[in-house]
Amino acid sequence: NHSRVINEATEVYGINNEGKIKEAILKFPSFAGLNHSRVINEATEVYGINNEGKIKEAILKFPSFAGLNHSRVINEATEVYGINNEVKIKESILKFSRFVALNHARVINEATEVYGANNEVKIKEAILKFPQFASLNHARIIKQKTKIGGLIGFSNQQTIDTLLENP
Protein backbone atom coordinates (compact mmCIF):
# COMPACT_ATOMS: atom_id res chain seq x y z
CA ASN A 1 0.00 0.00 0.00
CA HIS A 2 1.71 3.16 -1.24
CA SER A 3 -0.18 5.50 1.07
CA ARG A 4 0.93 3.53 4.14
CA VAL A 5 4.58 3.58 3.01
CA ILE A 6 4.47 7.33 2.39
CA ASN A 7 2.70 8.02 5.69
CA GLU A 8 5.19 5.94 7.68
CA ALA A 9 8.17 7.60 6.01
CA THR A 10 6.84 11.14 6.51
CA GLU A 11 6.32 10.26 10.18
CA VAL A 12 9.85 8.83 10.64
CA TYR A 13 11.53 11.76 8.88
CA GLY A 14 9.31 14.28 10.64
CA ILE A 15 8.19 16.09 7.53
CA ASN A 16 4.76 17.13 6.31
CA ASN A 17 5.82 16.98 2.69
CA GLU A 18 4.78 13.78 0.93
CA GLY A 19 6.45 15.12 -2.21
CA LYS A 20 9.91 14.69 -0.65
CA ILE A 21 9.17 11.05 0.17
CA LYS A 22 7.78 10.39 -3.32
CA GLU A 23 10.85 12.06 -4.84
CA ALA A 24 13.12 9.86 -2.68
CA ILE A 25 11.27 6.74 -3.88
CA LEU A 26 11.64 7.81 -7.51
CA LYS A 27 15.38 8.41 -7.07
CA PHE A 28 15.93 5.19 -5.12
CA PRO A 29 12.99 2.77 -5.53
CA SER A 30 14.28 0.50 -2.76
CA PHE A 31 13.56 3.42 -0.42
CA ALA A 32 9.89 2.35 -0.37
CA GLY A 33 10.75 -1.06 1.06
CA LEU A 34 13.04 0.05 3.86
CA ASN A 35 12.22 -0.02 7.54
CA HIS A 36 13.01 3.65 8.08
CA SER A 37 12.96 3.50 11.87
CA ARG A 38 15.64 0.79 11.70
CA VAL A 39 17.60 2.78 9.10
CA ILE A 40 17.67 5.84 11.37
CA ASN A 41 18.57 3.76 14.44
CA GLU A 42 21.46 2.03 12.67
CA ALA A 43 22.79 5.30 11.25
CA THR A 44 22.63 7.04 14.64
CA GLU A 45 24.71 4.18 16.09
CA VAL A 46 27.44 5.10 13.59
CA TYR A 47 27.10 8.91 13.41
CA GLY A 48 25.78 9.57 16.91
CA ILE A 49 22.31 10.24 18.27
CA ASN A 50 22.98 13.99 18.29
CA ASN A 51 23.20 13.80 14.47
CA GLU A 52 19.76 12.26 13.90
CA GLY A 53 18.42 15.40 12.19
CA LYS A 54 21.46 15.57 9.90
CA ILE A 55 21.07 11.87 9.08
CA LYS A 56 17.44 12.40 8.06
CA GLU A 57 18.45 15.39 5.91
CA ALA A 58 21.23 13.35 4.28
CA ILE A 59 18.79 10.56 3.45
CA LEU A 60 16.25 12.92 1.93
CA LYS A 61 18.95 14.66 -0.16
CA PHE A 62 20.55 11.38 -1.30
CA PRO A 63 18.02 8.57 -0.72
CA SER A 64 20.41 5.70 -1.43
CA PHE A 65 22.20 6.85 1.75
CA ALA A 66 19.45 4.98 3.61
CA GLY A 67 20.45 1.64 2.07
CA LEU A 68 24.13 1.73 3.04
CA ASN A 69 26.10 -0.17 5.62
CA HIS A 70 27.48 2.92 7.33
CA SER A 71 30.00 1.05 9.48
CA ARG A 72 31.57 -0.29 6.28
CA VAL A 73 31.46 3.16 4.67
CA ILE A 74 33.32 4.68 7.64
CA ASN A 75 35.86 1.84 7.70
CA GLU A 76 36.61 2.23 3.99
CA ALA A 77 36.96 6.00 4.27
CA THR A 78 39.28 5.75 7.29
CA GLU A 79 41.54 3.45 5.24
CA VAL A 80 41.97 6.34 2.79
CA TYR A 81 41.87 9.40 5.09
CA GLY A 82 43.29 7.82 8.25
CA ILE A 83 41.68 6.59 11.44
CA ASN A 84 42.55 9.86 13.18
CA ASN A 85 40.13 11.57 10.76
CA GLU A 86 37.09 9.42 11.58
CA VAL A 87 35.16 12.29 13.21
CA LYS A 88 35.93 14.57 10.23
CA ILE A 89 34.84 11.81 7.84
CA LYS A 90 31.51 11.47 9.61
CA GLU A 91 31.04 15.25 9.56
CA SER A 92 31.91 15.32 5.84
CA ILE A 93 29.37 12.61 5.09
CA LEU A 94 26.63 14.44 6.96
CA LYS A 95 27.50 17.75 5.21
CA PHE A 96 27.61 16.20 1.73
CA SER A 97 25.76 12.88 1.71
CA ARG A 98 26.98 11.98 -1.81
CA PHE A 99 30.43 11.72 -0.22
CA VAL A 100 29.55 8.12 0.68
CA ALA A 101 29.17 7.18 -2.99
CA LEU A 102 32.68 8.24 -4.01
CA ASN A 103 35.60 5.92 -4.57
CA HIS A 104 37.94 7.80 -2.25
CA ALA A 105 41.11 5.94 -3.24
CA ARG A 106 40.46 6.94 -6.86
CA VAL A 107 39.60 10.52 -5.84
CA ILE A 108 42.90 10.87 -3.96
CA ASN A 109 44.89 9.27 -6.80
CA GLU A 110 43.38 11.59 -9.40
CA ALA A 111 43.82 14.66 -7.22
CA THR A 112 47.49 13.84 -6.51
CA GLU A 113 48.07 13.60 -10.27
CA VAL A 114 46.77 17.16 -10.59
CA TYR A 115 48.09 18.79 -7.41
CA GLY A 116 51.20 16.65 -6.94
CA ALA A 117 51.91 13.60 -4.79
CA ASN A 118 53.70 15.83 -2.29
CA ASN A 119 50.30 17.46 -1.57
CA GLU A 120 48.41 14.26 -0.67
CA VAL A 121 47.96 15.21 3.01
CA LYS A 122 46.76 18.70 2.03
CA ILE A 123 44.36 17.19 -0.51
CA LYS A 124 42.83 14.93 2.13
CA GLU A 125 42.54 17.86 4.54
CA ALA A 126 40.89 19.98 1.82
CA ILE A 127 38.37 17.25 1.06
CA LEU A 128 37.48 16.78 4.72
CA LYS A 129 37.17 20.54 5.15
CA PHE A 130 34.96 20.93 2.05
CA PRO A 131 33.64 17.46 1.05
CA GLN A 132 32.26 18.65 -2.29
CA PHE A 133 35.89 19.23 -3.31
CA ALA A 134 36.20 15.46 -3.79
CA SER A 135 33.70 15.42 -6.63
CA LEU A 136 35.13 18.31 -8.65
CA ASN A 137 37.01 18.19 -11.95
CA HIS A 138 40.44 19.04 -10.55
CA ALA A 139 42.21 19.22 -13.91
CA ARG A 140 39.81 21.97 -14.99
CA ILE A 141 40.05 23.76 -11.65
CA ILE A 142 43.85 23.78 -11.56
CA LYS A 143 44.02 25.01 -15.15
CA GLN A 144 41.65 27.87 -14.38
CA LYS A 145 43.14 28.76 -10.99
CA THR A 146 46.80 28.72 -12.08
CA LYS A 147 45.85 31.04 -14.93
CA ILE A 148 44.22 33.45 -12.45
CA GLY A 149 47.07 32.96 -9.98
CA GLY A 150 49.57 33.85 -12.70
CA LEU A 151 47.74 37.10 -13.36
CA ILE A 152 48.22 38.17 -9.74
CA GLY A 153 51.83 37.00 -9.57
CA PHE A 154 51.41 33.61 -7.86
CA SER A 155 53.54 30.65 -8.86
CA ASN A 156 51.71 27.44 -9.67
CA GLN A 157 52.68 26.03 -6.25
CA GLN A 158 51.41 29.16 -4.46
CA THR A 159 48.13 28.78 -6.33
CA ILE A 160 47.90 25.10 -5.40
CA ASP A 161 48.71 25.85 -1.75
CA THR A 162 46.07 28.57 -1.61
CA LEU A 163 43.48 26.36 -3.29
CA LEU A 164 44.13 23.43 -0.95
CA GLU A 165 44.07 25.65 2.14
CA ASN A 166 40.78 27.26 1.06
CA PRO A 167 38.97 24.69 -1.07
Side-chain angles (χ1 to χ4, degrees):
N1 184 341
H2 298 295
S3 297
R4 183 185 54 75
V5 168
I6 291 169
N7 289 338
E8 287 175 7
T10 55
E11 200 172 301
V12 169
Y13 294 101
I15 60 172
N16 293 325
N17 185 346
E18 287 183 9
K20 280 219 181 260
I21 300 301
K22 290 177 182 177
E23 187 178 316
I25 293 168
L26 289 173
K27 287 181 182 174
F28 181 61
S30 300
F31 189 83
L34 296 174
N35 176 334
H36 294 283
S37 295
R38 183 187 54 75
V39 166
I40 300 299
N41 288 337
E42 289 177 0
T44 56
E45 286 178 22
V46 174
Y47 299 104
I49 191 72
N50 58 326
N51 286 317
E52 186 174 325
K54 291 178 182 176
I55 292 165
K56 290 177 180 179
E57 286 176 33
I59 290 169
L60 292 173
K61 286 180 184 172
F62 187 61
S64 60
F65 188 85
L68 297 174
N69 175 336
H70 292 282
S71 295
R72 182 189 53 75
V73 167
I74 299 300
N75 288 338
E76 289 175 1
T78 56
E79 287 177 21
V80 174
Y81 296 101
I83 191 71
N84 58 328
N85 285 319
E86 186 173 332
V87 170
K88 289 179 182 177
I89 292 165
K90 290 177 182 179
E91 290 170 356
S92 295
I93 290 169
L94 294 175
K95 281 183 201 171
F96 182 60
S97 51
R98 292 184 186 276
F99 192 75
V100 296
L102 299 173
N103 176 335
H104 294 283
R106 182 188 53 75
V107 166
I108 298 301
N109 286 338
E110 289 177 2
T112 56
E113 286 178 20
V114 173
Y115 300 108
N118 59 322
N119 287 314
E120 185 174 336
V121 171
K122 289 180 182 180
I123 292 165
K124 290 177 181 180
E125 290 171 356
I127 290 170
L128 294 176
K129 189 185 298 184
F130 183 67
Q132 294 89 330
F133 190 72
S135 62
L136 300 176
N137 178 337
H138 296 286
R140 182 187 53 78
I141 288 171
I142 199 67
K143 183 178 177 182
Q144 177 189 41
K145 299 302 180 188
T146 53
K147 189 176 188 179
I148 294 169
L151 293 174
I152 60 172
F154 275 23
S155 69
N156 285 353
Q157 188 58 48
Q158 286 174 305
T159 303
I160 290 170
D161 290 343
T162 301
L163 182 60
L164 294 177
E165 288 170 15
N166 302 295

